[in-house]
Amino acid sequence: MHYLKRIVAVLMLVCLSLGCGLKEGVVQKEAKSYLWFTGNTKGAIVAIDDLTPFSLSSSNSDQNSSREKHYEVIPGKHTIVITKDGREVVNRIIMLGDGMTKEIQIP
């Protein structure tokens, strides 16, 4: 009987010591994905999901109409709608995983 009490005590001590502090120092990076707009981005207006649309042109004085632009988004399902001169030129539903980059070609 004395032997059984020692085994139980040792097992309880092992369980207590292994269960302490295992979650300390765990750092999880924020999930990020990227959209990469290529092609003729001048004058393009991008709407991602239901967010406020934004322009890909950095200024009206851009001489180069063919530029590449990167934008960070959260991973998941997104609806991308791009208009130029009031006309819809891209309308896609995409899925992005963590760390993925998706190229969107603008005609």
Side-chain angles (χ1 to χ4, degrees), residues 22-40:
L22 290 179
K23 294 184 180 180
E24 290 181 24
V26 175
V27 177
Q28 186 173 357
K29 295 187 323 184
E30 185 177 330
K32 297 178 185 179
S33 297
Y34 303 92
L35 294 174
W36 178 29
F37 297 100
T38 61
N40 189 1

Side-chain angles (χ1 to χ4, degrees), residues 36-94:
W36 178 29
F37 297 100
T38 61
N40 189 1
T41 60
K42 187 174 183 181
I45 307 294
V46 178
I48 301 173
D49 301 324
D50 294 328
L51 300 175
T52 304
F54 59 92
S55 174
L56 290 177
S57 298
S58 58
S59 70
N60 291 338
S61 63
D62 281 342
Q63 297 295 320
N64 187 1
S65 64
S66 181
R67 295 189 168 271
E68 297 179 356
K69 310 277 183 168
H70 286 86
Y71 289 88
E72 185 179 309
V73 294
I74 59 171
K77 182 178 177 180
H78 297 284
T79 301
I80 311 296
V81 177
I82 302 174
T83 57
K84 287 179 72 172
D85 301 323
R87 197 176 110 243
E88 189 175 285
V89 293
V90 175
N91 187 340
R92 292 189 191 151
I93 297 175
I94 60 170

